[in-house]
Amino acid sequence: MTKPTEPQPPRPVGPRWATRLLHAFCAPHLVDEMAGDLDELFQQRVGTIGLRKARLRYIRDVLSLLRPFALKHKPTVQHFSKYPQHSSFHPDMIRNYLKIAFRNLGKNKIYSFINIGGLTVGMTVAMLIGLWIYDELSFDTDHLNYNRIAKVMLQQTVEGNTSTSEWVPIPLSTALKNDYGSDFSHIVLTHQTGEQILANGTAKLTQKGYYAEPEFLEILPLKLRQGARSGLNDPGSILLSESLASALFGNTDPINQLVKVNNKVAVKVAGVYPDFPNNSEFRDVAYVLPWTQFVADQEWVKRVEDNWGVNAFQLLVQLAPNADLDKVSAKIESVKATHAKDEAKFNPKAFLHPMSRWHLYSEWENGVPVRGRIQFVWLFGIIGLFVLLLACINFMNLSTARSEKRAKEVGIRKAVGSVRSQLIGQFFSESFLVVFFAFALSLLLVQLALPWFNEIADKNTSILWNNSLFWALGIGFSLITGLVAGSYPAFYLSGFQPVKVLKGTFRVGRFASMPRKVLVVTQFTVSLALIIGTIIVFRQIQYAKNRPLGYDRNGLVSVRMNTPELMERYGIIHTELLQTGAVVSVAESNNPTTGVYSSDNRLDWKGKDPNRPVDFNVVTCTHDFGKTVGWQIKEGRDFSRNFSTDSTGLILNESAIKYMGLKHPIGERIKWANETYTVIGVIKDLVTDSPFEPVKQTAFRLNYEWTNFITIRLNPKMSAREALNKIEPIFRKYNPASPFDYKFVSAEQDQKFRAEERIGKLATLFAILAIFISCLGLFGLASFVAEQRTKEIGVRKVLGASVFNLWQLLSKDFIVLVLISFLLASPVAYYFMSGWLKQYTYRSDISWWIFAVSGLAAIGITLATVSFQSIKAALMNPVRSLRSE
Amino acid sequence: MKGTYLGEFEEVVLLAVAIRSGDAYGATVVNEIEQQMNRAVNLGAVHSALNRLYEKGLVSSHMGGASQERGGRRKRLYSVTAAGRRALEEARQLRNQMWEAIPTTTWA
């Protein structure tokens, strides 16, 4: 024995967590003796078998003690053991829980509606967004060589501005083959065609496709439904997608039939491939034509076959099986610089852009990848999570709020003999039932909403009934929500002492409503941020839409000249169009007014900084172009037939003048390639490209050869329908080969806002749903508070409080919460939205009224929601609520 | 009632309680069994056996004093009841009877 004076070494004890486990799961009346036994055995064993083994035995013993009997059997309450004691999870008990849960749902209809409704909406939104994200992430993944396919891209630096583009010169292909051939399985030159007319007799279709070298089929492993894989080797052939083949040939066998392309060449159908799926970057590739045909058909392609300076083609590669993408990408970096010495000054860098990143990560800014579509994936993902969170918050809030009311029920149940585990079972059954209903309903809603959602989002998704991940996520989420929402009543309430609750001395603590308030603030913060964001998105769209275009887009129609016939007969068409009276003026140009596709760097003028490279948009047009589109002359004059010298005349836009730094532009001589032009006029900027970007310096010159588009100004005195009816026969007569394919400039212009409008629409939808869910929760809480305070309201009324006083009393608390949310949401929304706006050069500001309006709207909505309940409470006859006491 | 049928492990536990007469509680019963049978026994198994024996009325229990080695916790002391003793005797008698019935040729 040690002497009491000596310091005792600390007693070894069993693993702390195991002890805690025992305390958590063992019946309270047994814990003491169990722990004692465990401790005693442990002390002995430390002496006999060592500390480590003793600890292991300790853990084993604890686990062996976690048995149901320890939870339920109470030898101290002797009389219970006379009756058979069922398990709380006996099937009969579970049936009983569910029955009572059902009755509870039915009894509190409003409460059930709010809970199930809110959760359903939240889950529906989350599911839709989940499907959207899944679709975005699954782009191209079904290509067999997904991980080995890449695009070769080029980066060039001009004037410190680095541009990144997928357009490469043809010789790059040969260079890669010669220098790094062993790193690649396939290297394929391709060129995306614009819209071309494919015709078989009267069946004519305008479709986009690809010119590609034969190995294209190997890279994208196209499994032909019909025909031979060697099809692309033969210059006179074409491969069609299944849908295009059936549109052109119906049910007849298309193989070896002839298709006329642009009414120029006839090619033989060599094969039919299944359509590319909707979530593929190649989804609009309706046909594939052989590269050799492209070279033969387009003279300029032949000319640039060895030209490193013309970046106009796409280069697809498939890596060799043992090659590492990043290493190869680093290897080929200098390929253009070494082969094309005169291009080296632009510091060209080649790199591989893997297929897995095409869809989501294809935006560069100054040579650095910036977040492309992936940012929408994140944005929507976060919104979805938040909306779901809102719904869960409601659910939890209401169940905790209501649970105070149920304290009495707990007391009575306990008094008549319920044990705690049965109450836990009861509360969990109720929450799981609600979640289950919501899940089932949201599946139904998603199914119903999908067609409409697909239209807004431009998708073709469907519920992934067969996807185990979908079910695992859905069910996992439901279980967690049920557990979290049910846990408060299940564990907190079930622990009440019946005596206290029933005697009426039971008081919920002063801070019991605190977590609820925090949750309400969270909800409104999210809703408000969404509302503010939505307003800003819409304002930006509106702002860009209202931007002065510099021309009059109404009644302007553009027709692409897609066949040789049309180009040759422009003169007669021009005359006949004017004769109909449906047309005010007609002009030709090489670009439509809604887009400029060509730029030139060969301009030179007096005072130009020789070290500074130039880049101009160059538009060629005919005499009446200005008059037709309605541009505004600022200085000088328009092109005129009265001056034969105008063939070397130039009209510049304001941006060009600024760019060149000309003080007195009129009469200025400008060298272009090998010719000299004279500036005859300056026009106000025409917004031809992106409505969000600054207008580029542009030069207009006369040319009747280099034109691709006819622009027509319709007679404003006639309806557009009527005018088009008069125009169409003329085109049919002179250009029978192709369908009359016209586009309203205003519609084309609107197209440019599609992406933004899509975000706007989705954001509105989510914002509305978020505020709806939040209000549902508020409504529930308000009714709960009103109910809780009925007696107080009764007393106040008897003592002379007016309805208005009472309304004020009940609404005040909620308004304060909304105000706090507003203070939280404003800076957050400001931060994120100013980040979003930064991507646009031409952007609206974030003005104070946006915040004011959303704040007022939130308060208004809150008041409307809360008032219903508070006025109802205030109008109630106090006799009814006070009689019982 | 589950009857007075005595399981094998229950019999062992009951015997251990009898051996440790006056000092039979969880830990000592575990020790006793481990010594006698030379095998590791789980405390939980012993507890549930004791519990079953209690339900069958074969043992009775009362709370004993606390001791230093138990970290100051009390112990529940078990003792064999009259019914417990009868059950043990019946089991023993049954075995003896069966032993008697074995023909001598069996072990040849």
Side-chain angles (χ1 to χ4, degrees):
Chain A
M1 283 296 274
T2 50
K3 278 176 230 155
T5 46
E6 257 177 55
Q8 293 219 346
R11 272 172 95 241
V13 286
R16 201 73 63 69
W17 63 267
T19 316
R20 236 178 268 143
L21 197 68
L22 181 77
H23 281 267
F25 283 98
C26 191
H29 63 281
L30 290 178
V31 162
D32 208 37
E33 47 180 290
M34 302 279 180
D37 280 344
L38 280 167
D39 204 17
E40 192 178 333
L41 285 169
F42 180 71
Q43 306 301 337
Q44 287 171 9
R45 284 171 184 152
V46 170
T48 54
I49 56 174
L51 182 65
R52 206 180 62 85
K53 280 192 173 165
R55 286 170 66 91
L56 282 175
R57 285 297 304 273
Y58 186 91
I59 295 168
R60 251 179 66 188
D61 279 343
V62 167
L63 294 178
S64 74
L65 278 170
L66 303 179
R67 294 191 176 197
F69 85 88
L71 284 172
K72 71 169 191 203
H73 193 76
K74 298 183 177 184
T76 42
V77 195
Q78 290 283 338
H79 65 272
F80 270 150
S81 56
K82 281 186 206 153
Y83 303 102
Q85 189 84 52
H86 279 313
S87 151
S88 303
F89 300 100
H90 191 276
D92 284 340
M93 276 317 281
I94 291 175
R95 199 176 307 149
N96 179 267
Y97 299 149
L98 285 178
K99 196 187 277 177
I100 293 175
F102 258 111
R103 285 181 191 160
N104 260 329
L105 282 184
K107 205 165 64 189
N108 305 292
K109 289 205 180 59
I110 292 187
Y111 164 77
S112 312
F113 170 77
I114 293 176
N115 260 348
I116 297 179
L119 213 48
T120 305
V121 173
M123 283 185 171
T124 308
V125 169
M127 263 189 235
L128 286 176
I129 291 181
L131 290 174
W132 186 86
I133 290 179
Y134 181 81
D135 189 77
E136 287 286 310
L137 295 184
S138 67
F139 254 72
D140 294 315
T141 42
D142 56 342
H143 293 299
L144 199 63
N145 307 316
Y146 180 64
N147 288 315
R148 316 216 64 87
I149 303 176
K151 239 181 232 175
V152 182
M153 300 192 63
L154 275 179
Q155 253 173 19
Q156 315 211 82
T157 309
V158 179
E159 264 195 307
N161 285 324
T162 306
S163 61
T164 309
S165 125
E166 58 184 283
W167 307 113
V168 300
I170 297 180
L172 182 65
S173 165
T174 337
L176 282 182
K177 275 180 196 158
N178 293 340
D179 300 357
Y180 308 100
S182 60
D183 289 320
F184 299 100
S185 310
H186 303 287
I187 298 178
V188 174
L189 273 172
T190 65
H191 177 81
Q192 237 174 319
T193 73
E195 295 197 324
Q196 305 205 84
I197 303 159
L198 300 188
N200 168 42
T202 50
K204 289 172 201 151
L205 284 158
T206 322
Q207 295 278 325
K208 286 182 187 165
Y210 257 80
Y211 286 107
E213 291 183 318
E215 282 172 69
F216 186 71
L217 296 187
E218 309 301 326
I219 287 195
L220 291 181
L222 282 187
K223 289 202 175 56
L224 297 188
R225 283 280 155 85
Q226 280 174 285
R229 298 188 70 80
S230 55
L232 285 183
N233 295 334
D234 172 11
S237 62
I238 188 171
L239 300 181
L240 300 178
S241 74
E242 232 167 2
S243 55
L244 180 60
S246 72
L248 286 177
F249 297 101
N251 292 327
T252 55
D253 179 18
I255 298 297
N256 288 334
Q257 302 257 35
L258 288 182
V259 174
K260 215 155 187 214
V261 181
N262 285 345
N263 210 28
K264 250 161 51 186
V265 278
V267 289
K268 205 165 68 183
V269 179
V272 175
Y273 60 87
D275 288 12
F276 284 98
N278 204 47
N279 55 353
S280 162
E281 292 288 301
F282 295 98
R283 61 177 154 179
D284 52 1
V285 178
Y287 52 89
V288 185
L289 286 160
W291 181 260
T292 40
Q293 188 187 322
F294 183 47
V295 181
D297 188 41
Q298 307 273 332
E299 215 183 299
W300 66 275
V301 179
K302 205 171 200 69
R303 264 183 298 170
V304 300
E305 269 187 320
D306 296 314
N307 188 332
W308 279 90
V310 178
N311 301 320
F313 311 93
Q314 284 172 309
L315 197 53
L316 296 179
V317 296
Q318 186 187 329
L319 286 172
N322 52 0
D324 176 78
L325 189 129
D326 292 325
K327 283 189 192 140
V328 176
S329 189
K331 244 199 229 176
I332 64 169
E333 191 182 277
S334 60
V335 62
K336 183 168 178 179
T338 47
H339 282 270
K341 296 276 180 265
D342 47 338
E343 294 279 331
K345 64 180 178 224
F346 298 120
N347 194 19
K349 279 189 185 134
F351 68 97
L352 296 179
H353 188 41
M355 187 178 231
S356 55
R357 296 176 73 85
W358 286 359
H359 182 63
L360 295 174
Y361 300 90
S362 267
E363 274 176 42
W364 277 265
E365 213 170 272
N366 243 335
V368 189
V370 291
R371 294 185 305 158
R373 273 191 87 79
I374 189 73
Q375 65 172 329
F376 294 121
V377 171
W378 279 110
L379 181 76
F380 284 142
I382 289 169
I383 292 180
L385 277 184
F386 270 123
V387 173
L388 199 55
L389 180 75
L390 295 188
C392 293
I393 287 177
N394 269 353
F395 189 24
M396 283 193 281
N397 258 353
L398 284 182
S399 50
T400 55
R402 259 177 40 91
S403 62
E404 282 165 22
K405 239 184 103 187
R406 295 185 70 173
K408 262 203 175 117
E409 180 190 332
V410 169
I412 292 172
R413 275 167 181 270
K414 278 199 158 177
V416 297
S418 270
V419 286
R420 188 167 180 194
S421 59
Q422 291 171 343
L423 287 169
I424 293 178
Q426 177 63 52
F427 283 118
F428 272 130
S429 313
E430 283 178 28
S431 73
F432 278 122
L433 201 63
V434 167
V435 176
F436 170 76
F437 272 133
F439 183 63
L441 274 175
S442 62
L443 276 180
L444 183 75
L445 267 186
V446 168
Q447 186 64 48
L448 291 176
L450 262 181
W452 173 77
F453 179 77
N454 277 336
E455 185 161 331
I456 295 186
D458 191 25
K459 288 263 177 232
N460 189 18
T461 56
S462 54
I463 294 192
L464 309 159
W465 297 109
N466 299 321
N467 188 317
S468 48
L469 180 73
F470 175 80
W471 290 110
L473 280 179
I475 291 171
F477 168 76
S478 306
L479 287 181
I480 290 171
T481 314
L483 265 180
V484 172
S487 57
Y488 175 84
F491 290 120
Y492 178 60
L493 286 183
S494 63
F496 284 161
Q497 299 227 318
V499 183
K500 276 193 189 162
V501 192
L502 293 179
K503 265 202 322 212
T505 52
F506 169 77
R507 273 277 165 278
V508 182
R510 198 152 63 91
F511 298 107
S513 61
M514 203 53 204
R516 223 171 294 141
K517 286 182 177 164
V518 172
L519 292 178
V520 168
V521 169
T522 316
Q523 278 191 316
F524 269 82
T525 308
V526 173
S527 308
L528 265 165
L530 279 177
I531 294 178
I532 295 172
T534 311
I535 297 180
I536 292 175
V537 170
F538 268 100
R539 237 170 70 88
Q540 168 65 7
I541 298 171
Q542 219 44 49
Y543 183 70
K545 272 193 169 173
N546 291 338
R547 179 180 189 177
L549 286 179
Y551 65 90
D552 180 12
R553 64 181 194 162
N554 296 314
L556 214 54
V557 173
S558 108
V559 180
R560 193 191 172 98
M561 295 197 281
N562 41 22
T563 61
E565 286 88 342
L566 196 53
M567 297 200 187
E568 281 157 24
R569 297 171 192 162
Y570 170 71
I572 180 92
I573 291 175
H574 179 236
T575 325
E576 286 202 20
L577 281 176
L578 287 174
Q579 279 166 4
T580 57
V583 168
V584 181
S585 77
V586 183
E588 276 182 299
S589 60
N590 66 342
N591 292 302
T593 46
T594 46
V596 173
Y597 312 131
S598 55
S599 66
D600 206 300
N601 56 15
R602 295 169 297 175
L603 271 72
D604 197 5
W605 61 91
K606 206 164 66 200
K608 173 187 165 282
D609 178 355
N611 297 320
R612 192 174 155 204
V614 283
D615 188 25
F616 268 77
N617 273 349
V618 178
V619 177
T620 62
C621 56
T622 60
H623 275 99
D624 302 318
F625 186 72
K627 187 178 112 195
T628 310
V629 299
W631 68 24
Q632 294 150 38
I633 305 279
K634 246 190 94 192
E635 266 181 82
R637 57 175 178 83
D638 203 344
F639 294 118
S640 162
R641 290 193 172 81
N642 301 332
F643 297 88
S644 61
T645 51
D646 276 5
S647 60
T648 56
L650 214 52
I651 292 184
L652 300 176
N653 67 359
E654 279 181 294
S655 299
I657 302 297
K658 219 177 284 161
Y659 183 79
M660 299 162 86
L662 298 179
K663 289 264 160 51
H664 305 286
I666 304 299
E668 198 72 40
R669 300 198 158 249
I670 290 176
K671 273 184 75 176
W672 181 356
N674 298 320
E675 283 173 70
T676 307
Y677 291 82
T678 314
V679 178
I680 59 165
V682 176
I683 56 154
K684 282 204 164 163
D685 284 346
L686 302 185
V687 180
T688 43
D689 283 320
S690 166
F692 301 104
E693 295 305 316
V695 174
K696 200 174 168 188
Q697 51 280 6
T698 311
F700 297 85
R701 69 180 179 120
L702 282 179
N703 190 312
Y704 279 77
E705 322 263 281
W706 263 36
T707 52
N708 297 307
F709 288 89
I710 300 179
T711 304
I712 302 167
R713 159 105 27 223
L714 299 181
N715 189 343
K717 292 185 191 107
M718 221 179 263
S719 80
R721 186 73 266 155
E722 205 179 332
L724 284 171
N725 281 342
K726 292 195 173 175
I727 295 171
E728 190 173 355
I730 301 170
F731 279 92
R732 286 230 172 282
K733 187 163 74 184
Y734 294 105
N735 186 28
S738 73
F740 176 49
D741 196 8
Y742 62 90
K743 296 202 165 94
F744 277 98
V745 171
S746 52
E748 287 287 280
Q749 185 68 17
D750 287 343
Q751 282 275 319
K752 295 179 181 174
F753 301 96
R754 277 257 300 276
E756 278 74 17
E757 274 182 339
R758 205 161 274 150
I759 307 171
K761 272 187 192 161
L762 287 176
T764 318
L765 178 71
F766 298 144
I768 291 175
L769 289 178
I771 196 94
F772 170 75
I773 293 174
S774 308
C775 285
L776 265 187
L778 214 52
F779 185 78
L781 276 186
S783 67
F784 160 74
V785 169
E787 206 168 12
Q788 209 183 27
R789 297 171 78 171
T790 21
K791 285 241 160 77
E792 181 195 334
I793 293 168
V795 173
R796 280 175 187 270
K797 239 188 146 172
V798 170
L799 295 178
S802 69
V803 172
F804 179 72
N805 290 146
L806 292 172
W807 172 76
Q808 220 177 7
L809 175 81
L810 291 174
S811 310
K812 202 179 61 201
D813 286 352
F814 290 106
I815 295 298
V816 171
L817 294 184
V818 173
L819 282 177
I820 296 174
S821 322
F822 176 70
L823 291 180
L824 289 176
S826 301
V828 174
Y830 183 84
Y831 174 77
F832 281 106
M833 291 321 286
S834 54
W836 180 76
L837 281 179
K838 263 194 204 114
Q839 63 177 317
Y840 301 108
T841 316
Y842 188 80
R843 59 175 177 250
S844 63
D845 52 344
I846 302 180
S847 64
W848 62 272
W849 65 259
I850 298 173
F851 296 95
V853 164
S854 12
L856 284 177
I859 289 175
I861 295 172
T862 309
L863 277 182
T865 314
V866 175
S867 294
F868 178 78
Q869 291 294 347
S870 48
I871 291 177
K872 197 170 96 182
L875 287 177
M876 213 168 73
N877 188 347
V879 174
R880 284 179 60 193
S881 62
L882 293 178
R883 195 162 45 186
S884 63
E885 231 157 83
Chain B
M1 274 291 268
K2 280 173 182 165
T4 51
Y5 169 76
L6 205 54
E8 190 264 338
F9 191 67
E10 282 174 7
E11 190 182 338
V12 170
V13 171
L14 193 52
L15 282 168
V17 172
I19 292 169
R20 285 287 181 134
S21 169
D23 184 34
Y25 58 93
T28 51
V29 171
V30 169
N31 279 335
E32 190 60 44
I33 299 175
E34 286 188 346
Q35 275 170 26
Q36 296 277 351
M37 303 179 73
N38 200 19
R39 74 173 202 212
V41 185
N42 278 340
L43 180 61
V46 170
H47 256 287
S48 68
L50 283 171
N51 205 60
R52 284 198 301 276
L53 291 171
Y54 177 85
E55 280 180 350
K56 292 175 186 173
L58 303 183
V59 293
S60 63
S61 75
H62 68 277
M63 295 309 285
S67 72
Q68 179 64 36
E69 56 192 342
R70 295 171 65 83
R73 299 184 189 86
R74 295 202 301 163
K75 47 191 161 195
R76 180 179 294 277
L77 290 168
Y78 290 89
S79 48
V80 181
T81 61
R85 184 179 170 181
R86 217 176 308 128
L88 278 178
E89 279 169 354
E90 268 170 30
R92 185 180 186 176
Q93 202 199 328
L94 185 73
R95 298 229 166 140
N96 286 343
Q97 194 184 314
M98 289 174 81
W99 271 105
E100 301 291 310
I102 302 172
T104 42
T105 51
T106 309
W107 314 115

